[in-house]
Amino acid sequence: MAYAKKEMENARVEHSAHSEEHFREKHLMLDPLPRGKMNEMVMESMHHTTWKFWVVFGVLSAVTVYTLFYSWGVMIAEGLGVAGVNRPVYWGIFLVNTVFWIGISHAGTFISAILRVFKAEFRRPFTRAAELMTTFGLVQAGFSIFMHMGRIWLAYWLMPYPNQRMLWPNFHSPLSWDLLAITTYLLSSTMYLFLPLIPDVAMARDRSTGWRKTLYKVLALGFRGTEGEWTHLRNAMNIFAFAIIPVMFSVHTIVSWDFAVATRPGWSSTIFGPYFVIGALHSGMGAVVVVLAIVRSTMKHMKYFIRAEHFDAIGKLMLIISMSWAYFFFNDYMIQWYGGDKWTKQLLHFHEAGPLGWMWFAMLILNIAIPWAILWNAKWRSIPWLISVVGIAINVGMWFERYIIIPISLSINRMPFTWRMYEPGIEIPLGIGTLTFFILLYMAASKLIPLIPVWEVQEGQMAHELKKFGRETVVTVSELE
Amino acid sequence: MATLSDLKISEVKLSTEESGKWGMVIDQDICTGCQACVAACAMENNLSFVGEEDAGYGRSMHWIRIERFWEGEYPEVKMTPNQPMMCQQCGSAPCEPVCPAFATVHSQAEQLNLQVYNRCVGTRYCANNCPYQVRSFNWRDYERPEPLPNQLNPDVTVRRRGIMEKCTFCIQRIHHAQDQAKAEGREVMDGEFTTACAQACPANAITFGRMDDPKSLVSQLAKRQGGGKHLEELGTLPNVTYFKGE
């Protein structure tokens, strides 16, 4: 009896030693490399530029110049007549893209602020990759919203600025709220991107020469890594992490009010605030996964930093968000249907059975069926290409969702004489242009600033350890301060 | 005495003063759908001539349109009365609060819904929020083929592209009549002038005038049995009354 007990004890020790090894292989936080080596790896991935990069960069530049800047120039010169928007569909793909890009930008803040506040440690290696998406996504949203204006050269009239005639913007208008919310979000998320970047550019400054040295010298603001500097940085980051969360929620809520406040059937829905926020997180997380998979496969040494565990963790988040989105979608339709307004009833019927009914069904498949089917499986959601497929599916699905809310819902109004379908014109190249410009900015950034927050990874590795609770070995994190 | 601040917003909006100074009555039973009002409006208000291509795309610029509907399945179709549709000059207009630039505003003096063309930046939010779909957008700078430039109305601005425009109840005529009356030291008389669409209507289906004068023809007509306003359930307080017998 005693012999058997000892055997079992031995086996358990062996097993735990094995699983400890297994843990180290699997978790970045338990697999530390020398810090100099890690810094070097990040610097090399910034310098390491293959001919493929330049080919893609060149093609995307050409496409962007033609689709975004040339087409926009044509539209400014000719008027909005070159676009497909037409009565009664006054808002078309421009606004769809605006909502879409603001949605994409939500994931960065979600990952870096909410997960930081909740101490979800898996976020450490990819916060910057996500934050860059926030800033660049907002740039595209800005492009899209300015493109849609009839007289873009007078866009500054929407700003409250002192003038002799005492003219103010109309603060009753959701578009004025939009402008303030998006500007606040762009400024705060850019600052929040910059703060955790300081120690990394300081690292890059110490390891580079030439024009890069000058650039990083300016960006690092003289950061040397003294105790006082770290304390200040930590305080600033803590303040920003908490302060930016309400900003993030407010931005997409306010974007939803553009629709919810209007009297249109299909728009006037009280659930739109949280529905849009969760939709934004849905598309944003999908985009983060795609970006991470591309970064991991194209950039050097990124396989060390971004691992299956990260895709697994984001996959779980995506699954939960997809379920929440399904709830809000159902809620929105249920309450509109129950309202019994004859125009809304007509519109709901048009959504599913109209000429673009396929889009409605595709939206449900791409946003609910595909994520639930694939993300439920822990093994599947850890495979980068498979989860990127889910990410792309979600993004297409969410784009469809916004397309259904904006141009398709606008086709049906209370004056049946004016009912008309929307046929996009120059909106399509302009939309492609925002996408390619987003990728271009991202590619440029990946070569200019460290895409991986190395200091955060190193900090996490210092604080992580394996602890045994009874028989179980658990990865834990100890407080640094 | 109750001051304005004692009143609730809904009461202010529904007070007689807000219910409209100028109004219109449209008798659909005698409207033949001849489109004379559409043409007269376009000429009076310097509307853009959009040309064949854009008109085919559905961008013809009009401040008034004649809506036609039919009932039943082909071949058993029954035409319903023609329905002229222009800005209803709402007392509580959905287009007004949503404009971020204050380009569409309520005129306190005229009780009309005005569009300040040179303040408009073209967000088109007002058009989306208009339940009557009567606001039109300038999609391009259209050329006026000869001899159309010769008949431009000097009392009305020529709008350029990228802005919203809409029916104004021919405010230039209102102002002209008011100036004339003021110079002669009297009130504007009923029937002294009318809008271009009402003037051009061969069947006299459109009547325009002061709603705040109980003796005026238009308020007498509006008081008849069977009149209705479009989408009254939205609380927009439109100033155009429609008559349609069954």
Side-chain angles (χ1 to χ4, degrees), chain A residues 138-385:
Chain A
L138 283 172
V139 170
Q140 308 315 321
F143 268 111
S144 306
I145 205 159
F146 283 130
M147 276 185 245
H148 117 111
M149 285 178 67
R151 298 203 288 176
I152 163 70
W153 49 94
L154 298 174
Y156 67 96
W157 283 4
L158 303 182
M159 291 283 217
Y161 64 94
N163 60 89
Q164 198 193 5
R165 295 182 187 189
M166 303 288 282
L167 281 167
W168 281 82
N170 180 4
F171 289 116
H172 291 163
S173 169
L175 290 183
S176 294
W177 314 339
D178 253 8
L179 184 91
L180 295 175
I182 296 170
T183 316
T184 310
Y185 192 44
L186 181 63
L187 291 176
S188 52
S189 67
T190 311
M191 279 193 269
Y192 190 55
L193 164 74
F194 181 64
L195 283 174
L197 184 67
I198 294 173
D200 279 343
V201 282
M203 177 277 288
R205 171 199 62 198
D206 298 341
R207 291 167 169 273
S208 51
T209 52
W211 64 270
R212 274 178 189 267
K213 179 116 185 157
T214 323
L215 174 69
Y216 299 139
K217 220 174 185 171
V218 174
L219 283 179
L221 305 176
F223 188 86
R224 290 161 297 160
T226 61
E227 191 58 34
E229 282 170 352
W230 277 109
T231 312
H232 287 144
L233 187 68
R234 253 176 235 292
N235 285 343
M237 270 162 43
N238 276 340
I239 291 169
F240 259 90
F242 280 96
I244 206 169
I245 291 170
V247 176
M248 181 195 102
F249 281 107
S250 75
V251 170
H252 226 72
T253 309
I254 287 174
V255 168
S256 84
W257 286 343
D258 283 352
F259 311 106
V261 167
T263 59
R264 298 293 289 237
W267 277 13
S268 178
S269 172
T270 45
I271 200 74
F272 263 20
Y275 178 40
F276 269 53
V277 171
I278 208 78
L281 294 179
H282 199 29
S283 64
M285 293 304 278
V288 165
V289 147
V290 177
V291 165
L292 286 185
I294 294 172
V295 163
R296 185 179 191 265
S297 59
T298 52
M299 286 178 77
K300 226 179 162 187
H301 303 307
M302 289 294 153
K303 288 198 174 64
Y304 167 75
F305 290 106
I306 299 164
R307 303 181 177 201
E309 57 160 335
H310 302 120
F311 290 106
D312 179 49
I314 301 178
K316 282 181 205 162
L317 268 178
M318 282 163 75
L319 183 60
I320 292 166
I321 291 170
S322 175
M323 286 171 169
S324 320
W325 184 86
Y327 165 74
F328 282 115
F329 172 82
F330 179 70
N331 190 320
D332 180 33
Y333 263 75
M334 200 59 170
I335 286 177
Q336 290 202 37
W337 168 78
Y338 193 69
D341 175 45
K342 63 179 169 181
W343 306 109
T344 310
K345 238 167 146 181
Q346 193 65 243
L347 177 68
L348 296 185
H349 181 66
F350 183 72
H351 276 181
E352 307 122 20
L356 289 173
W358 61 268
M359 203 179 250
W360 194 83
F361 288 102
M363 168 183 77
L364 293 183
I365 292 167
L366 294 166
N367 278 343
I368 301 175
I370 291 178
W372 291 19
I374 293 175
L375 299 177
W376 204 272
N377 188 319
K379 203 171 271 174
W380 286 358
R381 70 171 172 251
S382 312
I383 303 170
W385 70 263

Side-chain angles (χ1 to χ4, degrees), chain A residues 1-12:
Chain A
M1 189 69 189
Y3 176 78
K5 200 175 177 185
K6 196 166 183 244
E7 272 294 281
M8 271 174 70
E9 196 60 44
N10 279 349
R12 194 177 297 141

Side-chain angles (χ1 to χ4, degrees), chain A residues 35 160 220 340 419:
Chain A
R35 286 164 74 173
W419 289 0

